[in-house]
Amino acid sequence: MSKQVQDAYIVSATRLPIGKSGRGYFKNTRPDEMLVKVMQAALAQAPGLDPAAIEDAIVGCSFPEGEQGMNIARVASVLAGLGNTIGGVTVNRYCASGITAVQMAADRIRVGEADVMFAGGVESMSMIPMGGNKPSLSPLIFEKDENIGIAYGMGLTAEKVAAQWKISREAQDAFSVESHRRAVAAMQAGHFAAEITPFDVVERTPNLADGTVNIKTRTVSLDEGARPDTSLEGLAKLKPVFAAKGSVTAGNSSQTSDGSGGLLIVSEAALKRYNLTPLARFVSFAVRGVPPEIMGIGPIEAIPAALKAAGISAKDLDWVELNEAFAAQSLAVLNDLDSKGIELDRAKVNPNGGAIALGHPLGATGAIRAASVIHGLRRTGGKYGMVTMCVGAGQGAAGIFERL
């Protein structure tokens, strides 16, 4: 913080509703189309801002290949009509790709290199599977035992966290039920309205009788993963999916999803020049590494570092988006931080539910949850909020925002 020359302000923050991968809203929607919509919506929320003032678009994506390859940040910025003068770069820090894009964009402003930036994230798990279309692990990974965790599937790392931090199956299922309960309650109360940009999904089906194509358009405006009928009894019937005698099930893991989110970040000079209203200030960011085989515990290292950089304590946080990759890792993070005196108020952690209920579109999640924090703070009057998550291959990341 002492080395920055100016503050970075968020003037718009939005996201699309999150769809279930493979069978949900966006199963046939290209990720570049989702990102284009988010870019246009973010710009529309900052009236008076000249699109040509945006210097660069930084976009996170966990598996930037296929339909979300070819530097989707640059492609989408052109397709969105932002102009040919705007740059674009796609970045990958797996599940922290979106929040890393926000940090990178904010830092360009904080060191005085830019005045207006777009930051976002996008992921279509319907079109690009976990691991990508052609995963290829280096043989060097298997030459040393301490590196083998890089090759572990995410579910197996969750099992290892559950075992090492003694997180029971019952606790994981109870955490999952609460995630769904909070998500459904937030939807019914309309708490997502400010952060979500509705999307018109176009469905095309062939009419074999006359050779024509039937086109149907529907508008989606809510995440489709939350289930009001989720119960402990129902989750208890599910079998472990990653280890025969394990405790991690489909019901206490995050959903695979499609989605996109984006923010416009500006300097104080741009605020005045374009008469913009700041929603929040970007305060701090930290990333730390942990052993790959227990990657889920990453936030226990990143959170204290982000708090220290912000000059605040855990008690100052009014809203925390702790990404629920797995109930086991979320509980392990919370319990471990408690034991170190860094207590996060459970009522302020994922108050609108988390990824178990709402979904987790990998590289988009950080940007999506940044929009959730900013609008959540504005609705409730809170001051500081944090987005944090574990990251594949053994990392944790955390970013802190201040409502203005």
Side-chain angles (χ1 to χ4, degrees), residues 1-2 10 22 24 28 71 80 88 90 111 196 202 228 234 282 288 307 309 369-370 381 401:
M1 292 294 289
S2 61
I10 292 88
N28 296 316
N71 190 6
T90 306
V111 301
I196 290 181
V202 179
F282 185 81
R288 294 291 187 271
L307 289 170
R369 296 282 76 97
F401 301 83

Side-chain angles (χ1 to χ4, degrees), residues 104-165:
M104 292 173 68
D107 281 354
R108 288 288 310 283
I109 291 167
R110 297 204 295 173
V111 301
E113 291 182 347
D115 285 311
V116 184
M117 299 283 291
F118 173 86
V122 67
E123 201 84 36
S124 171
M125 298 185 76
S126 290
M127 295 190 175
I128 309 299
M130 178 77 78
N133 290 314
K134 188 184 177 182
S136 178
L137 296 171
S138 169
L140 295 176
I141 291 172
F142 304 97
E143 291 183 1
K144 294 182 179 180
D145 288 345
E146 60 264 34
N147 294 332
I148 293 177
I150 295 173
Y152 285 178
M154 296 298 98
L156 185 55
T157 69
E159 288 286 7
K160 288 192 171 292
V161 166
Q164 186 168 332
W165 274 266

